[in-house]
Amino acid sequence: MRSFWWKALGTILVLYSVIAGLLGPVPVLPIVHESIRTLYYHLPMWFSMFLMYGISVVYSIKYLSSGKEEYDLMAVESINVGIVFCFFGLISGSFWASVTWGDPWPSDPKLNGSAIATLMYLAYLVLRSSLNEEQKRAKISAIYNIFAFPIMIVLMYILPKLTDSLHPASGGNGGFGQFDLDNSMRLVLYPGIIGWMLLALWMLSIRYRYRIILFQKNQ
Amino acid sequence: MNLFGQVKYLVGKDIRLEWRSKYALNGMLLYVVSTVFVCYQAFKKLDPITWNVLFWIILLFASINTIARSFVHEGQGRQLYYYTLVSAQAVIISKIVYNVLLMLLLSAVAFFVYSIIFKHQLGDPLLYLVSVLLGALGFASIFTMVSAISSKATNSGTLMAILSFPVIIPLLLFLIKLSKNAMDGLDRSVSYNEVIVLVAINLITISISLLLFPYLWRD
């Protein structure tokens, strides 16, 4: 993971999506207008968050089956990074909503689901800080993490699909693909998603290495 | 002894313990009755939506208070003793079964008292009872696992609420929707979707609890 190329690739892709996202052509739509460009920054945040939470659940399972401290550090750091992306997703989303829906936080299952999922992961951090013994903390928080992950998926993905929603791609609405007739948005969006995910991985690897050094110093 | 025998024995033990001390059981029933009465004094009269939601909120708090003590009231020493005698799965299954029985009793009493004090016509009483049954099952299975997690920490009371509220919300939303359908006396085919999702949530949480509890228990 220390090699250079993927960090450079991530940086280039993010730069490309920021510049092309602001300058490139977008479909002209009523109500949404130019705010459709928020899509380039809103969607990658959630993809990166799902990637981080997914990594953390994998490492929690690995921790439970092997008991290595390093896996626990990886799990907690990926949740830390994931929460940052989740907050940026919420902020960009409520900015977009205030332009198009006229309200930064309308009562909508997709929005409320993601807010509740955020509370769940903040509760994970509270749970960690309330346990003092290191091994016990690692084990119990790994168990809660695995328990919370499927419920997070239900809250953010399945529940909004089953009920009425304002949000695209839930409650029977189509996704943004239906407006992107000449695929010009996809050319910016997909590289952007990959770029932000690589950036999240980079942040994770830095934080993880920092924690490993701290851990070895305490030994 | 095989798994079934162990579960049967442990459930019997829990019931006998409860019956001998009685104060917990009576306290819990009194808690429900007095909460309903406080709500009656405060609200006087309710419109249908509030009637339904208030019932579930009362049941939610009553069940959190009841189930939170399912692991705390037995000391560490006795847990260790069980560990030498029976398998971990038997312990968690017996706790879930016992809590389901407790919740059935609790919700039956709550429903009885509630519908006497706040009179209201139900469109489809049988479906409403099904939703109460599914609710008792779901509350019991989720809260049992969360109380097992929070009993390991120091201030378990606060932690129980923080950890379980976000986790219970999807279940609660579906329960409220299903019972609202039953209250309005809609055709039953409308509600199949909700029933299936509720059963699925229950199955998922019970199977995750079975998988994770052995790790939690090994201390």
Side-chain angles (χ1 to χ4, degrees):
Chain A
M1 288 302 274
R2 289 199 185 174
S3 60
F4 177 73
W5 66 270
W6 62 273
K7 295 168 189 167
L9 179 70
T11 317
I12 290 167
L13 285 177
V14 167
L15 272 177
Y16 161 72
S17 84
V18 169
I19 294 167
L22 289 175
L23 299 178
V26 288
V28 180
L29 295 169
I31 304 174
V32 187
H33 298 299
E34 289 289 318
S35 78
I36 198 170
R37 294 180 195 276
T38 318
L39 179 71
Y40 299 137
Y41 315 113
H42 179 61
L43 203 57
M45 296 299 132
W46 297 113
F47 270 86
S48 313
M49 187 206 74
F50 276 117
L51 177 71
M52 289 295 112
Y53 288 174
I55 288 175
S56 123
V57 122
V58 168
Y59 275 88
S60 285
I61 294 170
K62 275 174 121 174
Y63 176 78
L64 283 186
S65 58
S66 72
K68 277 190 189 154
E69 294 279 335
E70 287 86 356
Y71 292 153
D72 175 55
L73 295 178
M74 189 71 163
V76 65
E77 283 310 330
S78 43
I79 284 186
N80 278 337
V81 175
I83 283 179
V84 171
F85 279 90
C86 172
F87 270 107
F88 279 112
L90 288 176
I91 291 167
S92 62
S94 73
F95 162 73
W96 199 359
S98 65
V99 175
T100 53
W101 299 336
D103 186 355
W105 200 275
S107 175
D108 187 82
K110 189 93 169 175
L111 278 67
N112 293 335
S114 48
I116 296 160
T118 313
L119 285 184
M120 213 154 63
Y121 281 93
L122 291 175
Y124 169 86
L125 297 179
V126 172
L127 175 68
R128 281 190 77 89
S129 60
S130 76
L131 294 158
N132 294 323
E133 202 183 315
E134 265 169 34
Q135 282 191 339
K136 201 173 171 185
R137 172 171 63 206
K139 196 170 64 182
I140 292 171
S141 57
I143 289 166
Y144 180 71
N145 189 20
I146 299 169
F147 192 65
F149 188 73
I151 294 168
M152 189 269 289
I153 300 286
V154 169
L155 276 170
M156 298 187 74
Y157 237 78
I158 300 170
L159 207 64
K161 277 206 192 303
L162 292 174
T163 42
D164 299 323
S165 174
L166 290 164
H167 197 280
S170 53
N173 301 342
F176 258 83
Q178 55 180 336
F179 303 122
D180 186 22
L181 297 176
D182 57 351
N183 284 338
S184 62
M185 286 187 77
R186 283 196 179 84
L187 279 179
V188 182
L189 181 62
Y190 292 165
I193 289 174
I194 295 168
W196 283 106
M197 280 162 101
L198 288 175
L199 209 64
L201 282 176
W202 191 5
M203 284 167 72
L204 171 62
S205 75
I206 291 172
R207 288 207 58 117
Y208 172 65
R209 271 153 51 196
Y210 167 68
R211 283 296 285 265
I212 286 289
I213 292 169
L214 274 186
F215 174 66
Q216 281 164 353
K217 224 174 136 189
N218 286 338
Q219 287 277 295
Chain B
M1 236 186 326
N2 62 346
L3 188 68
F4 184 71
Q6 290 176 352
V7 170
K8 217 172 78 180
Y9 193 82
L10 285 171
V11 172
K13 182 247 349 169
D14 269 338
I15 292 173
R16 230 171 299 140
L17 271 183
E18 194 74 68
W19 190 249
R20 278 184 194 158
S21 66
K22 277 198 194 97
Y23 86 96
L25 193 72
N26 293 339
M28 175 194 92
L29 295 178
L30 204 58
Y31 179 93
V32 175
V33 175
S34 45
T35 315
V36 172
F37 204 73
V38 166
C39 289
Y40 174 63
Q41 293 291 310
F43 280 100
K44 300 284 191 222
K45 208 165 163 42
L46 289 176
D47 58 277
I49 294 177
T50 325
W51 187 87
N52 187 26
V53 173
L54 187 65
F55 175 68
W56 286 110
I57 299 284
I58 290 173
L59 213 55
L60 175 72
F61 278 92
S63 60
I64 272 206
N65 274 324
T66 312
I67 298 178
R69 33 175 288 284
S70 60
F71 284 92
V72 183
H73 80 287
E74 288 180 310
Q76 284 286 333
R78 211 191 297 173
Q79 300 274 359
L80 198 67
Y81 180 54
Y82 295 149
Y83 185 56
T84 59
L85 292 178
V86 291
S87 72
Q89 268 93 1
V91 173
I92 186 75
I93 293 175
S94 74
K95 285 285 179 202
I96 289 177
V97 169
Y98 172 69
N99 282 334
V100 167
L101 293 177
L102 207 59
M103 278 304 302
L104 285 177
L105 175 70
L106 185 71
S107 37
V109 171
F111 186 69
F112 181 69
V113 176
Y114 192 70
S115 50
I116 283 182
I117 292 184
F118 293 105
K119 285 162 212 69
H120 197 275
Q121 205 65 43
L122 287 178
D124 189 349
L126 193 65
L127 191 61
Y128 203 92
L129 282 183
V130 169
S131 79
V132 171
L133 191 79
L134 285 171
L137 253 172
F139 283 163
S141 55
I142 289 183
F143 288 151
T144 306
M145 189 59 195
V146 176
S147 83
I149 292 174
S150 67
S151 71
K152 299 278 176 191
T154 39
N155 50 352
S156 62
T158 325
L159 216 54
M160 178 81 193
I162 295 175
L163 295 181
S164 57
F165 279 145
V167 176
I168 204 75
I169 282 175
L171 189 87
L172 197 65
L173 290 181
F174 276 104
L175 282 172
I176 288 175
K177 210 169 158 201
L178 175 64
S179 53
K180 185 76 183 41
N181 287 353
M183 218 168 100
D184 296 343
L186 299 183
D187 191 60
R188 284 193 189 158
S189 59
V190 181
S191 313
Y192 285 155
N193 216 347
E194 276 82 35
V195 174
I196 291 168
V197 172
L198 280 171
V199 171
I201 292 179
N202 282 340
L203 284 181
I204 290 171
T205 46
I206 289 175
S207 48
I208 295 178
S209 307
L210 283 185
L211 283 175
L212 291 181
F213 188 72
Y215 293 102
L216 187 66
W217 207 35
R218 205 187 301 148
D219 230 340

